[in-house]
Amino acid sequence: VLVISEYVEGASYDKAIEIFNPTQAPVPLQHWTLRVARNGGDWTGTVSFPSVDLGPGQTFVVAHPRSRFAEANMTSSAMNFNGNDAVGLALCDEVVDVVGVSGQEAAVAGVSKATKDHVLERKAGISAPSSWAASEGSDADDSQWVVRNKNAHTLGVHQALVEVPSSDRRGETSIKRLRW
């Protein structure tokens, strides 16, 4: 299952969403879409992905066509969201992972209006999608997100905790922090 790993709501058209495959198997993107709910409305803006597999530990970045993000794998004019719009990742038309609240500039990790003019980066230990209420948090400790300056993105690279087979003879696995 994929997750939104980074949300960039920067100046002008600098808008992007990064998705991440935290699993150990390729995930076909053609069953997934990005959705945008604008200004208190329903899910209307839709971005369809190409018929490719997202490999284990890989990211895929969708940005606005007029953004400055060379890291983008594809662009879409639907990525014209702002701080009071929600962005969702949907599997077969069911939204499973969400950033923000449509119609509100949401607080994240105790930062007021963090969905406007900020970068939200998913913490390394998060490997499953969740509702916004479960992920936003009231402070830095209970939030699934790290709030950064709007120019401090790391698009195309996501730090994650993954299980890696150990080299010992017992066949145990260990958790390691890797940057993809």
Side-chain angles (χ1 to χ4, degrees):
V1 175
L2 304 175
V3 296
I4 297 173
S5 51
E6 193 163 351
Y7 163 98
V8 180
E9 203 286 319
S12 189
Y13 292 104
D14 284 349
K15 320 291 185 202
I17 297 293
E18 175 189 84
I19 61 171
F20 175 69
N21 178 359
T23 73
Q24 295 182 8
V27 175
L29 286 182
Q30 69 264 22
H31 304 294
W32 295 82
T33 56
L34 280 175
R35 303 288 177 86
V36 180
R38 291 181 172 81
N39 303 318
D42 293 328
W43 299 108
T44 53
T46 301
V47 177
S48 297
F49 293 107
S51 295
V52 297
D53 288 349
L54 187 60
Q58 289 185 328
T59 61
F60 192 93
V61 177
V62 182
H64 190 277
R66 294 176 64 187
S67 74
R68 60 181 172 84
F69 301 131
E71 303 86 353
N73 297 96
M74 69 179 281
T75 61
S76 172
S77 58
M79 293 290 94
N80 196 25
F81 54 86
N82 61 40
N84 70 346
D85 300 332
V87 178
L89 180 62
L91 174 60
C92 298
D93 295 326
E94 180 184 345
V95 176
V96 296
D97 202 15
V98 178
V99 175
V101 178
S102 184
Q104 296 179 22
E105 292 175 350
V108 182
V111 178
S112 176
K113 298 182 180 183
T115 54
K116 180 171 176 52
D117 295 330
H118 286 94
V119 171
L120 305 180
E121 184 178 356
R122 207 78 177 254
K123 290 182 178 176
I126 308 303
S127 61
S130 64
S131 69
W132 182 242
S135 73
E136 66 183 313
S138 59
D139 58 39
D141 292 332
D142 69 358
S143 177
Q144 292 183 8
W145 300 95
V146 175
V147 181
R148 301 191 191 288
N149 173 288
K150 67 182 176 183
N151 297 317
H153 71 85
T154 60
L155 290 170
V157 179
H158 182 65
Q159 182 171 292
L161 298 177
V162 296
E163 288 191 8
V164 179
S166 68
S167 58
D168 69 15
R169 294 180 192 190
R170 296 176 294 192
E172 294 179 0
T173 59
S174 60
I175 303 296
K176 296 190 178 189
R177 186 176 304 266
L178 300 175
R179 205 138 171 99
W180 298 98

XYZ file of all heavy atoms in Angstrom, residues 97 108-109 121-124 126-131 134-137 139-146:
181
model
N -5.520 7.853 2.018
C -4.516 8.666 2.714
C -4.801 10.123 2.395
O -5.042 10.460 1.227
C -3.109 8.271 2.256
C -2.019 8.630 3.250
O -2.343 8.920 4.427
O -0.834 8.606 2.869
N -0.734 21.438 11.875
C -0.053 20.151 11.806
C 1.080 20.178 12.824
O 1.858 21.137 12.869
C 0.532 19.886 10.399
C 1.188 18.517 10.343
C -0.522 20.030 9.327
N 1.165 19.156 13.645
C 2.250 19.033 14.619
C 2.378 20.286 15.489
O 3.469 20.691 15.858
C 3.573 18.737 13.913
N 6.613 16.640 5.542
C 7.315 15.403 5.207
C 6.885 14.322 6.190
O 6.957 14.516 7.406
C 8.824 15.607 5.264
C 9.586 14.385 4.835
C 11.091 14.589 4.851
O 11.561 15.712 5.120
O 11.802 13.602 4.598
N 6.456 13.170 5.675
C 6.014 12.059 6.517
C 7.199 11.527 7.287
O 8.294 11.365 6.751
C 5.426 10.957 5.636
C 4.377 10.066 6.290
C 3.076 10.747 6.340
N 1.897 10.142 6.831
C 0.892 9.711 6.071
N 0.998 9.684 4.766
N -0.212 9.305 6.620
N 7.003 11.266 8.569
C 8.072 10.702 9.398
C 8.466 9.311 8.895
O 7.660 8.585 8.318
C 7.632 10.633 10.853
C 7.521 12.002 11.509
C 7.122 11.877 12.958
C 7.058 13.225 13.644
N 6.582 13.087 15.039
N 9.695 8.955 9.162
C 10.282 7.729 8.630
C 9.550 6.456 9.049
O 9.493 5.511 8.292
C 11.746 7.638 9.043
N 6.402 5.823 9.357
C 5.027 5.686 8.871
C 5.028 4.891 7.573
O 5.619 5.306 6.576
C 4.370 7.071 8.650
C 4.500 7.932 9.891
C 2.930 6.907 8.198
C 3.909 7.341 11.159
N 4.366 3.743 7.587
C 4.355 2.888 6.399
C 2.954 2.478 5.979
O 2.788 1.616 5.126
C 5.205 1.636 6.642
O 4.674 0.901 7.722
N 1.934 3.106 6.564
C 0.550 2.792 6.193
C -0.228 4.093 6.058
O 0.021 5.055 6.781
C -0.096 1.904 7.261
N -1.170 4.137 5.109
C -1.984 5.335 4.947
C -2.887 5.552 6.157
O -3.143 4.624 6.929
C -2.799 5.045 3.688
C -2.803 3.574 3.545
C -1.558 3.070 4.198
N -3.369 6.802 6.315
C -4.249 7.082 7.454
C -5.135 8.277 7.162
O -4.907 9.026 6.212
C -3.419 7.337 8.714
O -2.626 8.484 8.556
N -6.123 8.455 8.004
C -6.991 9.629 7.906
C -6.203 10.849 8.357
O -5.180 10.739 9.035
C -8.215 9.451 8.805
O -7.823 9.495 10.171
N -5.946 11.137 12.141
C -4.951 10.251 12.752
C -3.524 10.721 12.508
O -2.624 10.403 13.277
C -5.116 8.833 12.210
N -3.297 11.487 11.448
C -1.918 11.833 11.096
C -1.481 13.240 11.475
O -0.297 13.489 11.671
C -1.675 11.632 9.598
O -2.299 12.620 8.824
N -2.413 14.205 11.587
C -2.008 15.607 11.772
C -1.303 15.869 13.094
O -0.338 16.616 13.142
C -3.204 16.544 11.620
C -4.257 16.367 12.711
C -5.460 17.254 12.508
O -5.288 18.454 12.238
O -6.579 16.731 12.633
N -1.778 15.292 14.162
C -1.146 15.454 15.469
C -1.328 16.843 16.056
O -1.537 17.822 15.340
N 1.051 18.002 18.292
C 2.407 18.505 18.514
C 3.379 17.651 17.708
O 2.976 16.689 17.043
C 2.771 18.510 20.008
C 2.681 17.141 20.662
O 3.060 16.127 20.036
O 2.232 17.081 21.818
N 4.650 17.996 17.754
C 5.653 17.306 16.941
C 5.791 15.830 17.297
O 6.146 15.014 16.447
C 7.004 18.004 17.073
N 5.499 15.459 18.541
C 5.658 14.071 18.963
C 4.562 13.156 18.435
O 4.838 12.025 18.049
C 5.711 13.973 20.491
C 6.966 14.596 21.065
O 8.001 14.611 20.362
O 6.904 15.094 22.206
N 3.294 13.612 18.428
C 2.212 12.717 18.023
C 1.771 12.897 16.569
O 0.876 12.215 16.106
C 1.013 12.817 18.975
C 0.278 14.136 18.899
O 0.695 15.034 18.134
O -0.728 14.287 19.616
N 2.412 13.771 15.844
C 2.109 13.964 14.427
C 2.901 12.973 13.581
O 4.022 12.601 13.926
C 2.468 15.391 14.002
O 2.249 15.562 12.614
N 2.320 12.562 12.453
C 3.031 11.726 11.491
C 3.878 12.571 10.540
O 4.539 12.038 9.665
C 2.045 10.896 10.661
C 1.311 9.841 11.429
C 0.414 8.999 10.543
O 0.437 9.092 9.311
N -0.399 8.170 11.161
N 3.863 13.893 10.740
C 4.495 14.818 9.806
C 5.552 15.687 10.481
O 5.418 16.036 11.643
C 3.439 15.739 9.184
C 2.391 14.987 8.437
C 1.179 14.581 8.925
C 2.446 14.530 7.089
N 0.489 13.905 7.960
C 1.243 13.854 6.820
C 3.409 14.625 6.089
C 0.972 13.281 5.581
C 3.131 14.057 4.849
C 1.926 13.391 4.604
N 6.552 16.069 9.705
C 7.523 17.090 10.091
C 7.194 18.306 9.232
O 7.081 18.195 8.005
C 8.971 16.627 9.825
C 9.950 17.748 10.108
C 9.286 15.391 10.644
